[in-house]
Amino acid sequence: NSLHWYLVVFKNMKMVPVPDQAFGNFFEGDCYVVLYRSQGSSNSMDVHYWIGNSSSQDEQGAAAILVTQLDEFLGGSPVQHREVQAAESSKFRSYFRNGLIYKKGGVDSGFRHVESNVYKILRLLHIKGRKHVTATEVEVSWSSFNSGDVFLLDMGKVIVQWNGPQSNRSEKLKAMLLAQDVRDRERGGRAQIGVVEGGDEEDSPELMKIMRAVLGQRSGKLKEAEPDDTPDRHQQTANIRLYNVSDESGKLVVQEVAMQPLTQDLLHSTDCYIVDQGGSSVLVWKGKEASIEERRSALGRAVGFIKAKNYSSSTNVEVMAEGGESAMFKHLFISWTEKGQTKGLGNVYTTGKIAKVEQVKFDVMELHARPELAAQQRMVDDASGQVQIWRIEDLELRELHPSSFGQFYGGDCYLVLYTYKRASKLQYILYMWQGRHATQDEITSCAYQAVAMDNKYSGVPVQVRVVMGKEPRHFLAIFKGKLIIFEGGTGRAGVTNPGPGARLFQVRGTHEMNTRATEVPARSSSLNTNDVFLLKTDHTIYLWYGKGCSGDEREMAKAVADVLSRQDKQVVMEGQEPAEFWVALGGKAPYACDKRLQKEETPHSPRLFECSNQTGRFRMTEVEDLTQEDLDQDDVMLLDTWEEIFLWIGRSANEYETKEACNSALEYLRTHPAGRDPDTPIISVKQGYEPLTFTGWFNAWDPQKWSSSYEEMKQNLGDVASISQITVVSDSLTHSTTLYCHYDITNTSLTFTFQMSHYVYIQCCNDVQKSLSLSSQDYLSDVDLENLLGCSRSGFQRLPRWRQNDLKKKAGLF
């Protein structure tokens, strides 16, 4: 999937691209346009315009006009969304998995979005939310704190996470993920993170000294926890109404047509319609044959409708064209039939089913003729450029031989540099691939090395962070159908990977531009009747062809098998497996082969909801683009597959949530706008005991693949606890006050030095000095480095390693 976003500048009536480093940062005085394109079976597009609380009416109007123009430029196919700060839709928030950061300022500050490796920062972020996190800049003072939330004190080189005594595990985990994202994205992986438990501050004396040095001594008690008053935008309502929007009489008229339950035949291609969900959201449908004026004014009429109904100004708005309806819109109707809908085994499966997603081959011949197509597809070329790959080893880069290209191990991190030409000029894309089982040090080093390589190429490369299993389309195309992802292990020489035994790989793709093989647990239950699998044993590779796979998929699996091993290949058709095949998988067992999912494409995509009372009251919140990682072990999750309702119960879900979720499932069916059958089966599933009818809705399900717990992530900050240096600039002083401190995990001495107007170097004890890293010079300004080492930064970098170390030893930095 691809995401583009822009800052709207009203002065010049234009949009300014926002850099990748600013991903998730929104200035409250600005408006933004966010374009999201899904690469699933629908190739759908969504255009959101985001309104900051402090933005002007002119800016908001400009954003709406630009969105309408962008919609027309893209052929009217995108779904348009109006988003208001602090009341964003779950779909919008799902793009920013680690959270949204609201920053003070407007257009002028908006031009100075986050720059990588900038450390002159002092801010306090107030973290709210559990599934979708927001972080708001507040006054850097103890008066901003309360006992129920999490706060991040960001000092550039160090981020201190302070957890309120009443904050829960999920909130702490989300805040830590956000802190890590700020470190990796905005600081090039160089910032350090420390954690203070607000109820046990005495357990972190060194970090508390830092906080008091910045915030002063706290007086009085903390404020009480703030209630989460955000309205539940996914709570169903029994007041669904359909309105017709027409200009036949010469002026636009809005007239009520029907109340729920709604039927699809109420919608006519010659008109536009508004669906009102009782004020929780307003959906606009544009018929293909509606007049240009009706289509252009759809978004503006929706905003006017909200004002006329006296609804909240933060009410979400969606505008969609006929044929591009969202899943939520279709769920409001009793039944929904897609044009050209097919039956039988030749059908096209939608995203989220146990079967594959349709893959449409990208025609690279159209790239130069239609540049906008290249932007939409995120395919800069036909992936025939030059490729270089490095693996992170001992926190350094080790270049790989081309013979190993395409083989990625879950225990490693890699840098992939792709070089191509455009208009006879070299262009670069730098992919940072992060293995699921790589250490935090390796992930941090990967980000650091990416910054160094970016500097080497004068900032030209486009940097793309790639999480294992979420590889973008162009990345897949680079390896020409021979991409193999190993679940664990490492590709390092001399390192012993898991011992001999059967290994199972799921192959998905129909041509060399979209194929990959992903290792899954080597057991029968991992099989899927709609795919091809490779089973590698000590002597043979079995090519298992499910009944629902295509000939193209079989051919691509053969190519992957040749890369995987030179062993003999044996084709095995589903239902004709030899005994040795089942023995290698530990015995025959049921697997995903539900015939109901092969009969007919349902127009209703599965929907996932989080059921929780951790905010003080029970509520259901929809989760967009469901993945296994979205299943939160602290909660109960509701999965609606239309024919069945699943209640997934996390290990740490409390009794109230479990009981209330069952009642809510019944209420969910009873109040569903489409008039659902109240007797629809409701199936309770406990974490770790999921049946195939549940796991089949998730791609590459792995029972061991759960998000790290907060406690585990906190333990992994062991290396981070050696806070090497902190710089804090305090605006409260007439002159700049610089606070330096050093804390070593093996020596708890902490030294502070204050100096007005200029920098001062700390003379630490010998043990502390020895703990400084080889890159201590990176934390010095150019002037300080030259005064300390006697040469410029560029001159120092040109020196051989032994000479650099010698200078640093003499200066006390090594």
Side-chain angles (χ1 to χ4, degrees), residues 561-578:
D562 290 336
V563 176
L564 190 61
S565 175
R566 296 182 180 179
Q567 295 172 306
D568 293 337
K569 313 298 189 301
Q570 181 177 344
V571 173
V572 175
M573 305 300 293
E574 182 181 5
Q576 301 176 22
E577 300 86 355

Side-chain angles (χ1 to χ4, degrees), residues 273-546:
Y273 296 85
I274 289 177
V275 178
D276 178 12
Q277 287 192 276
S280 63
S281 67
V282 172
L283 310 176
V284 182
W285 185 87
K286 301 183 298 183
K288 291 181 178 179
E289 300 174 18
S291 69
I292 295 177
E293 177 60 26
E294 286 178 331
R295 295 171 62 86
R296 284 181 175 174
S297 61
L299 182 57
R301 293 298 168 181
V303 175
F305 180 86
I306 290 173
K307 292 180 180 179
K309 289 287 188 178
N310 201 27
Y311 292 154
S312 169
S313 60
S314 62
T315 299
N316 287 131
V317 175
E318 284 189 18
V319 180
M320 66 207 72
E322 180 179 357
E325 297 83 3
S326 65
M328 178 184 292
F329 186 83
K330 295 175 185 177
H331 266 249
L332 299 177
F333 292 78
I334 293 177
S335 62
W336 191 275
T337 303
E338 300 286 2
K339 185 177 180 180
Q341 186 169 316
T342 61
K343 297 182 179 181
L345 294 178
N347 63 338
V348 175
Y349 292 91
T350 58
T351 304
K353 285 185 168 51
I354 67 169
K356 51 198 169 286
V357 174
E358 179 194 21
Q359 301 286 350
V360 180
K361 188 169 183 178
F362 180 63
D363 185 0
V364 298
M365 299 302 294
E366 296 188 47
L367 280 175
H368 298 291
R370 296 179 57 196
E372 74 278 7
L373 183 62
Q376 295 168 15
Q377 295 280 352
R378 300 294 284 179
M379 292 288 288
V380 295
D381 66 350
D382 59 359
S384 61
Q386 180 184 352
V387 181
Q388 293 174 273
I389 303 179
W390 294 265
R391 181 172 50 243
I392 303 297
E393 293 189 11
D394 300 323
L395 308 186
E396 299 291 340
L397 292 179
R398 180 180 180 84
E399 188 166 3
L400 304 184
H401 190 273
S403 61
S404 64
F405 283 8
Q407 300 179 38
F408 291 80
Y409 292 82
D412 290 328
C413 288
Y414 300 83
L415 286 184
V416 178
L417 180 65
Y418 180 79
T419 306
Y420 65 102
K421 284 188 177 181
R422 185 178 65 196
S424 301
K425 186 177 180 181
L426 289 177
Q427 304 288 332
Y428 306 94
I429 301 177
L430 183 59
Y431 293 100
M432 297 165 281
W433 192 91
Q434 301 174 358
R436 185 177 296 120
H437 306 292
T439 66
Q440 187 58 56
D441 283 346
E442 289 171 330
I443 294 175
T444 300
S445 178
C446 185
Y448 175 82
Q449 295 291 352
V451 171
M453 189 166 294
D454 182 71
N455 293 335
K456 177 181 177 181
Y457 289 90
S458 304
V460 175
V462 175
Q463 299 183 39
V464 183
R465 185 172 60 170
V466 180
V467 178
M468 177 177 171
K470 301 289 185 179
E471 293 78 15
R473 185 168 188 170
H474 187 263
F475 187 89
L476 298 180
I478 288 174
F479 301 102
K480 304 296 184 290
K482 298 178 181 179
L483 176 63
I484 302 175
I485 301 175
F486 297 89
E487 174 61 27
T490 176
R492 303 181 187 184
V495 178
T496 303
N497 282 313
R503 306 187 76 169
L504 186 63
F505 298 84
Q506 184 178 27
V507 182
R508 285 191 168 176
T510 55
H511 50 79
E512 65 177 19
M513 302 289 281
N514 66 5
T515 297
R516 73 181 134 198
T518 305
E519 185 173 10
V520 295
R523 48 176 173 264
S524 302
S525 58
S526 296
L527 298 175
N528 187 315
T529 192
N530 299 289
D531 287 317
V532 179
F533 286 79
L534 303 178
L535 176 60
K536 184 180 183 300
T537 66
D538 294 338
H539 307 291
T540 306
I541 286 188
Y542 294 98
L543 284 79
W544 186 86
Y545 296 157

